[in-house]
Amino acid sequence: MSDIPNRRPETGAFFGRDRSWHPPALTPGYKTSILRSPQRALLSLDGTISETTGPVFGHSIIGEMDNDLIHNFAKAGESAIGERIIVHGRVLDERGRPQAGVLVEFWQANAGGRYRHKKESYLAAIDPNFGGCGRAITDGEGCYAFRTVRPGAYPWPNGVNDWRPAHIHFSIFGHGFAQRLITQMYFEGDPMIWKCPIVGSIADKAAVEQLIAPPDWGNTIPMDARAYKFDIVLRGRRSTMFENKLEGN
Amino acid sequence: MVQELRYLKETPSQTAGPYVHIGMTPNFCDIGGVYEADLGNAMVNDRTLGQRITVTGRIFDGAGALVRDAVIEIWQADSAGYYNSPSEMRGAADPNFTGWGRCPTRAEDGVYSFETVKPGNVPFKDGRPMAPHISFWIVARGINIGLQTRMYFPEETEANNADPLLARIEHRERVATLIAAKEGPVYSFDIYLQGPKETVFLDI
């Protein structure tokens, strides 16, 4: 499945997750978490080969338009309505090593905050030229990029008057199944970030700030699209020089 | 002054939300024409080696209600016990088996289902064999960080009794939450997020 060139695969176990940095399972301000959070402690185990390995996808799965949400659902000659932006960044691990050849998937509402999903009933209109999904595979330096429109804020039935800040959902693969991560990217300066119970599920302000993308004026294309930079950090893994030798194989 | 340990912090997790299908299984939620097929919906083909099985089940919340908006990913070894991953250094996996699948729970009845093969043994870190198992990762609205667990096979009594992970479960009656029910080639594995039947989840 892999087409990462000239790279010795890493096989070490992953650093333990800092679960005080991540949101805990139970965050009552986000109501749905109340009945969907385990009450028993997680069973901890240093990673085995079942977690240090993981699927890797070849570039053959990526279509030409997969990282252009302005056009990948639009009728020929048309495009999605909204503020044109480029979102780009690097996928690194906790040791700062670029994660090359990893799949990044993203999805979002349209410029008015409306998702293209049958369960969604928000009054804001569907954009006939916007689907809302995209994907990319990082290059040798761990870089990814996509074009889209900036999503709108959107109301949700949690508190009486709760609105999600503008956000883009990200799903990231690393090279091991234990690195699997889903998160959300927010936009610098959005006042709703600090009112949102989903953002508020994260206790540490510095951890929240890790999810906020700054505008990247250097990569803004004049008369075309502004840019935002969003780097993603996956779990790092130990070197294998003193790992137990596998026997019996 | 001592040297600095320069580690970055892992990007914090956030819920996948109710519309996770838009990004992960767009064809499933009627966004056609962007991707040819949803990723992870075919793990096997005509030439895949091993014993064909179906793995199916549902997810329940703490009130016993079906979780109808989850997405499950599974990761497993091939029938000979090799992972289809660049990090697999022990040997070559079956090229006709991806080892990885992705499936949403259906809105109507909350059911997920994978067509796959029964995995072979893979070794624990000290070389002891682990019992055949499938790794699960579950995301959904209301789940702030993906839940990891494993499914084991009920006919593997001896291997399960010797499995290093199952042996770590202090409250022995909870071992049963990780063992599927078998009916012919179909394994049923229901997941309970919370409550008396709560599935054992892993920090791994």
Side-chain angles (χ1 to χ4, degrees):
Chain A
M1 286 167 100
S2 164
D3 52 5
I4 303 171
N6 303 324
R7 196 171 279 271
R8 205 171 127 262
E10 293 190 285
T11 57
F14 290 96
F15 297 169
R17 265 200 165 127
D18 180 353
R19 289 182 182 266
S20 65
W21 182 255
H22 285 283
L26 175 61
T27 52
Y30 175 23
K31 292 182 180 178
T32 314
S33 76
I34 294 174
L35 284 173
R36 293 187 172 192
S37 46
Q39 291 167 324
R40 305 286 198 113
L42 302 179
L43 177 69
S44 297
L45 200 69
D46 194 29
T48 73
I49 193 169
S50 301
E51 293 81 32
T52 57
T53 57
V56 172
F57 303 91
H59 287 271
S60 60
I61 69 160
I62 301 290
E64 207 179 323
M65 305 289 276
D66 281 6
N67 69 345
D68 184 352
L69 281 68
I70 293 179
H71 295 108
N72 70 8
F73 192 79
K75 291 186 263 307
E78 299 187 15
S79 59
I81 289 173
E83 292 180 47
R84 296 161 61 87
I85 60 170
I86 292 162
V87 178
H88 76 105
R90 293 179 81 193
V91 182
L92 307 165
D93 77 1
E94 288 167 298
R95 293 176 301 170
R97 294 194 176 200
Q99 301 292 287
V102 304
L103 178 65
V104 184
E105 298 165 293
F106 19 86
W107 65 99
Q108 62 169 91
N110 70 22
R114 175 71 187 261
Y115 284 95
R116 185 176 283 279
H117 195 284
K118 56 191 163 215
K119 268 188 64 189
E120 161 70 284
S121 56
Y122 181 34
L123 305 170
I126 286 272
D127 178 346
N129 289 310
F130 188 73
C133 61
R135 60 187 178 188
I137 288 182
T138 58
D139 68 13
E141 310 291 287
C143 298
Y144 73 91
F146 60 99
R147 271 183 183 272
T148 187
V149 292
R150 180 172 162 139
Y154 130 90
W156 59 303
N158 186 64
V160 174
N161 193 18
D162 276 340
W163 292 72
R164 297 300 324 281
H167 64 279
I168 300 177
H169 297 264
F170 277 72
S171 161
I172 311 105
F173 287 80
H175 297 143
F177 201 50
Q179 286 177 300
R180 204 68 187 81
L181 182 72
I182 280 185
T183 190
Q184 301 182 28
M185 181 200 110
Y186 304 101
F187 293 83
E188 185 181 354
D190 185 340
M192 283 184 293
I193 293 172
W194 305 104
K195 298 177 75 69
C196 175
I198 289 180
V199 175
S201 68
I202 299 171
D204 191 322
K205 183 165 183 279
V208 171
E209 286 169 338
Q210 199 174 353
L211 300 182
I212 303 177
D216 174 5
W217 302 111
N219 274 298
T220 288
I221 305 173
M223 305 302 286
D224 180 350
R226 284 181 299 137
Y228 283 88
K229 183 155 193 288
F230 184 56
D231 287 344
I232 296 159
V233 179
L234 301 179
R235 294 170 72 173
R237 60 204 305 173
R238 297 201 296 265
S239 308
T240 46
M241 61 272 203
F242 293 112
E243 292 291 325
N244 292 336
K245 268 224 155 51
L246 292 174
E247 287 161 0
N249 282 283
Chain B
M1 213 162 86
V2 296
Q3 294 186 17
E4 256 184 279
L5 256 179
R6 290 180 190 274
Y7 289 129
L8 303 173
K9 294 298 287 184
E10 188 186 8
T11 297
S13 174
Q14 291 269 264
T15 180
Y19 308 127
V20 55
H21 315 103
I22 295 174
M24 304 230 296
T25 56
N27 293 290
F28 172 84
C29 69
D30 302 325
I31 299 178
V34 181
Y35 308 151
E36 251 174 56
D38 288 339
L39 208 57
N41 66 357
M43 301 176 71
V44 295
N45 63 37
D46 295 344
R47 286 164 296 167
T48 306
L49 304 173
Q51 176 192 339
R52 298 299 175 98
I53 62 170
T54 300
V55 174
T56 185
R58 296 165 297 173
I59 305 177
F60 297 91
D61 73 11
L66 288 171
V67 175
R68 303 163 189 267
D69 51 10
V71 171
I72 296 177
E73 292 184 6
I74 63 172
W75 173 242
Q76 64 164 97
D78 68 12
S79 60
Y82 295 112
Y83 282 102
N84 192 344
S85 164
S87 307
E88 171 60 89
M89 308 307 281
R90 297 169 300 145
D94 179 355
N96 293 303
F97 182 61
T98 68
W100 176 79
R102 171 186 283 172
C103 185
T105 55
R106 288 194 300 243
E108 312 84 70
D109 55 7
V111 171
Y112 71 87
S113 179
F114 294 96
E115 300 304 317
T116 181
V117 295
K118 186 172 173 183
N121 287 103
V122 300
F124 192 59
K125 297 174 83 76
D126 59 9
R128 280 182 291 162
M130 292 191 276
H133 62 272
I134 298 177
S135 296
F136 274 62
W137 182 71
I138 301 144
V139 293
R141 173 174 67 100
I143 296 177
N144 288 323
I145 181 164
L147 294 169
Q148 293 151 300
T149 188
R150 282 185 183 181
M151 185 201 104
Y152 286 83
F153 294 81
E155 70 277 19
E156 298 283 342
T157 318
E158 208 173 312
N160 290 343
N161 286 339
D163 182 79
L165 184 145
L166 294 178
R168 284 264 191 120
I169 299 175
E170 184 185 354
H171 301 95
R172 298 309 294 163
E173 75 283 359
R174 299 194 72 210
V175 171
T177 69
L178 300 189
I179 298 176
K182 177 172 163 52
E183 206 175 317
V186 178
Y187 292 85
S188 302
F189 185 56
D190 288 340
I191 293 157
Y192 294 84
L193 297 182
Q194 186 187 89
K197 291 197 271 189
E198 188 171 306
T199 301
V200 173
F201 295 105
L202 309 172
D203 184 12
I204 206 164

